[in-house]
């Protein structure tokens, strides 16, 4: 049962990821990316990491991708506007992709599978305890990093506003949100 | 094993049916409440007291001509309302509709799945709900629709943050993310020990959650995505026939679900006063509890309508101001105060 679920979800995830790349319309790409995130969250569930799955959906699919979609809608990117890539760019992309595949396959070949007690890990309670006891310092450092990123984004938005007043309110509110969702990511 | 599947399947179908019925009759109730508040009669032609009005409306919706605009993105135009409906219904999975029902010595829990992160699941589904509106609004290829979609997404993301923060104080108190455990935490009246509903301990948290729930459901005074004075019909301007019906239905299901979540989190869910003191059997308590739960849900659905016909709409900058500058600081203060009180009273 779990195995079939895994195959089905993997199929959906790979399909979604491919469609993100292949679809010509940016909005369709974003929607397939959301689907991919969702199936990956389901994979987390199969690995008994329910908290991670829920947070993955809330943060990535629910907040970040909405902002992506938001920007794409406002820019109104269409198939016609898309620029043709030059030959050099295409060759570079193929070489980079090939190198990445070599690294990935080398890493996976020597990887060892280890079994962990799934009744202990995964729940929000255990995760919270580990994060706030064992990994307290890295956790707080990450929070500081996100705070710094947020402050930086606000600074950028501020200075632009001083030079030229923003023409419409919609754009401004949007920028403010993008900075705030960084907090959400914690 | 098969009996387990059959019981779950029956439960899923029943919950699905109840949600659709609730959405149908919410439309009727909305018109009746509006009529009552505005001193009118309301729908009274179809059946006694107009009780068949939702059926008539449904038939009308199906019979209307279906129009897909020439310039619209056809696939996404159809996908939009489907996503809205799907995400609205998905949240019903984790709601604890009742306690344990013992039939022939086998306990049956009236809840489809009891995730131990049920609350996060609800948040995840709610956060996905915005895609239906955004995709539909964008695919219509209409300025008014796009404006509606943009307003909806900005509003929902903003209020999600305040909503999440308002719930943190409650999670700190109960120490769990499972909705069933939160309900059990509020179970009251066993002899001399008294447990009050969470709203007694978290009045500010409840108020914040309620305001955010209104915003998440796009209900007045936060219904700017479909404000007809400015945007014709908002994100569903181009929609007709049953696809429009899906959007309207999804809104009513969202209202129903959020009422259920509010009653579960802050008003004891399936608990009712003196439930363990009256000497009732387990099954009687469960059935009465489910009844009490639906009465609470009904009250909150009525409350949504009451507010709609009482308050006018916000302006958009006021809405953003309220979300970012008022609700979020208040929610953070609520978390801090709750933490302080918990430390002082040794309730950790």
């Amino acid at each position: 049962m779990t195995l079939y679920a895994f195959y089905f979800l993997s199929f959906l995830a790979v399909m979604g990821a491919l469609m993100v790349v292949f679809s010509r319309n940016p909005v369709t790409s974003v929607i397939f990316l959301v689907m991919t995130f969702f199936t990956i969250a389901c994979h987390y569930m199969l690995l008994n990491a329910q908290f991670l799955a829920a947070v993955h959906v809330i943060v990535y699919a629910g907040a970040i991708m909405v902002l992506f979609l938001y920007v794409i809608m406002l820019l109104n990117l269409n198939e016609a506007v898309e620029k043709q890539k030059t030959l050099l760019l295409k060759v570079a992309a193929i070489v980079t992709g090939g190198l990445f595949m070599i690294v990935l396959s080398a890493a996976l070949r020597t990887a060892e599978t280890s079994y962990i007690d799934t009744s202990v890990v995964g729940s929000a309670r255990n995760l919270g305890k580990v994060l706030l006891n064992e990994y307290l310092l890295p956790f707080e450092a990450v929070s500081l990093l996100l705070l710094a990123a947020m402050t930086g984004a606000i600074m950028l938005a501020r200075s632009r506003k001083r030079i030229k007043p923003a023409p419409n309110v919609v754009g401004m509110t949007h920028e403010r949100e993008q900075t705030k969702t960084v907090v959400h990511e914690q | 094993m098969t009996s387990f599947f059959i019981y779950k399947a029956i439960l899923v179908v029943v919950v699905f049916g109840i949600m659709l019925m609730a959405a149908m009759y919410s439309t009727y109730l909305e018109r009746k409440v509006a009529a009552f508040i505005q001193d009118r009669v309301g729908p009274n032609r179809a059946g006694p007291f107009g009780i068949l009005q939702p059926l008539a409306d449904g038939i009308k919706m199906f019979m209307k001509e279906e129009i897909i605009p020439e310039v619209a993105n056809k696939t996404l135009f159809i996908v939009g309302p489907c996503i809205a409906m799907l995400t609205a219904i998905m949240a019903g999975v984790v709601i604890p509709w009742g306690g344990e029902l013992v039939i022939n010595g086998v306990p049956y829990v009236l809840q489809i799945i009891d995730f131990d992160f049920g609350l996060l699941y609800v948040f995840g589904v709610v956060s996905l709900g915005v895609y239906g509106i955004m995709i539909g609004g964008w695919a219509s290829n209409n300025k008014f629709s796009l404006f509606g979609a943009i307003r909806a997404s900005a509003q929902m993301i903003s209020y999600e943050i305040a909503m999440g923060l308002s719930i943190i104080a409650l999670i700190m108190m109960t120490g769990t993310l499972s909705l069933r455990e939160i309900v059990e935490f509020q179970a009251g009246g066993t002899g001399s020990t008294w447990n009050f509903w969470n709203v007694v301990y978290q009045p500010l948290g409840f108020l914040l959650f309620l305001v955010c729930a209104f915003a998440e459901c796009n209900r007045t005074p936060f219904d700017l995505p479909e404000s007809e004075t400015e945007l014709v019909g908002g994100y569903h301007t181009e929609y007709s026939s049953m696809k429009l019906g899906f959007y309207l239905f999804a809104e009513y299901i969202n209202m129903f679900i959020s009422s259920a979540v509010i009653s579960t989190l802050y008003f004891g869910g399936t608990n009712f006063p003196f439930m363990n003191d009256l000497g009732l059997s387990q099954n009687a308590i469960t059935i009465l509890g489910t009844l009490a739960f639906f009465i609470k849900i009904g009250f909150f659905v009525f409350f949504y309508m009451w507010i709609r016909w009482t308050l006018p709409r916000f302006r958009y900058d006021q809405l953003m101001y309220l979300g970012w500058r008022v609700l979020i600081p208040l929610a953070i203060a609520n978390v801090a105060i709750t933490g302080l009180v918990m430390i002082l009273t040794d309730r950790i």
Side-chain angles (χ1 to χ4, degrees), chain A residues 5-74:
Chain A
F6 173 77
Y7 282 138
F8 181 63
L9 287 173
S10 303
F11 171 73
L12 280 184
V14 173
M15 267 291 292
L18 286 176
M19 288 304 287
V20 174
V21 185
F22 289 142
S23 64
R24 296 226 149 222
N25 191 334
V27 173
T28 327
S29 283
V30 170
I31 293 161
F32 275 112
L33 194 54
V34 172
M35 195 188 96
T36 314
F37 280 143
F38 200 74
T39 46
I40 287 173
C42 294
H43 272 115
Y44 288 146
M45 293 271 252
L46 287 182
L47 294 170
N48 208 31
Q50 293 122 342
F51 181 75
L52 193 60
V55 170
H56 193 259
V57 169
I58 294 171
V59 173
Y60 285 94
I64 293 180
M65 290 321 289
V66 172
L67 288 175
F68 258 71
L69 200 58
Y70 200 105
V71 172
I72 287 171
M73 280 177 182
L74 282 179

Side-chain angles (χ1 to χ4, degrees), chain A residues 25 27-28 31 34 38 45 50-51 54-55 57-58 60-63 65-67 69-70 73-74 76-78 123-125 170 173 176-177 180-181 184, chain B residues 5 73 76 83 90 115-117 120-121 123-125 127-128 130-131 134-135 138 146-147 149-150 153-154 157-158 160-161 175-177 181 316 320 324:
Chain A
N25 191 334
V27 173
T28 327
I31 293 161
V34 172
F38 200 74
M45 293 271 252
Q50 293 122 342
F51 181 75
V55 170
V57 169
I58 294 171
Y60 285 94
M65 290 321 289
V66 172
L67 288 175
L69 200 58
Y70 200 105
M73 280 177 182
L74 282 179
N76 203 13
L77 296 172
N78 285 322
S123 76
R125 186 169 285 130
V170 179
T173 47
R176 215 176 298 153
E177 271 139 37
K180 293 281 179 166
T181 34
H184 205 50
Chain B
F5 273 116
N73 185 328
L76 292 182
I83 293 180
M90 263 167 77
F115 283 136
D116 59 357
F117 60 98
L120 288 178
Y121 174 87
F123 270 82
V125 171
S127 65
L128 288 180
V130 69
Y131 283 109
M134 280 186 89
I135 291 169
W138 181 81
L146 185 65
F147 264 119
I150 285 167
S153 55
I157 288 184
S158 309
E160 239 165 54
I161 298 171
T176 175
L177 288 169
E181 279 172 35
Y316 201 73
M320 281 295 161
W324 289 104

Side-chain angles (χ1 to χ4, degrees), chain B residues 109-310:
Chain B
V109 180
L110 297 183
Q111 183 183 14
I112 298 173
I113 309 173
D114 180 23
F115 283 136
D116 59 357
F117 60 98
L119 200 49
L120 288 178
Y121 174 87
V122 173
F123 270 82
V125 171
V126 165
S127 65
L128 288 180
V130 69
Y131 283 109
I133 294 175
M134 280 186 89
I135 291 169
W138 181 81
S140 304
N141 209 347
N142 174 324
K143 286 189 186 66
F144 295 116
S145 301
L146 185 65
F147 264 119
I150 285 167
R151 282 186 179 188
S153 55
Q155 171 182 331
M156 283 176 92
I157 288 184
S158 309
Y159 278 80
E160 239 165 54
I161 298 171
M163 201 179 196
L165 283 172
S166 72
I167 218 79
I168 284 177
L170 183 80
I171 297 169
M172 277 161 64
M173 256 180 59
T174 52
T176 175
L177 288 169
S178 154
L179 288 173
R180 173 158 297 276
E181 279 172 35
I182 289 174
V183 169
E184 279 160 8
F185 184 82
Q186 305 172 69
T190 42
S192 58
T193 54
W194 277 89
N195 269 330
F196 293 104
W197 291 345
N198 280 336
V199 67
V200 178
Y201 302 108
Q202 287 287 339
L204 183 60
F206 162 67
L207 196 67
L208 294 172
F209 190 83
L210 189 73
V211 172
C212 294
F214 269 80
E216 292 287 316
C217 292
N218 293 328
R219 289 289 297 186
T220 326
F222 301 103
D223 67 340
L224 286 130
E226 44 189 303
S227 59
E228 57 281 330
T229 42
E230 309 151 32
L231 295 181
V232 189
Y235 57 88
H236 54 57
T237 303
E238 295 287 351
Y239 280 89
S240 60
S241 180
M242 203 53 205
K243 289 203 284 299
L244 173 67
F246 262 34
Y247 271 127
L248 303 182
F249 245 61
E251 183 181 322
Y252 283 104
I253 293 175
N254 276 331
M255 257 167 72
F256 181 71
I257 291 289
S258 65
S259 301
V261 172
I262 292 170
S263 340
T264 307
L265 294 179
Y266 291 101
F267 283 85
T270 55
N271 298 309
F272 53 94
F274 309 112
M275 57 189 282
N276 295 325
D277 293 333
L278 296 175
L280 297 167
S281 70
Q282 170 69 30
N283 282 356
I285 287 177
T286 303
I287 290 166
L288 281 178
T290 306
L291 205 64
F293 188 45
F294 277 101
I295 289 170
K296 288 170 195 173
I297 294 173
F299 171 75
F300 278 106
V301 170
F302 171 72
F303 190 71
Y304 269 103
M305 291 162 186
W306 191 4
I307 294 284
R308 172 166 178 184
W309 299 107
T310 307

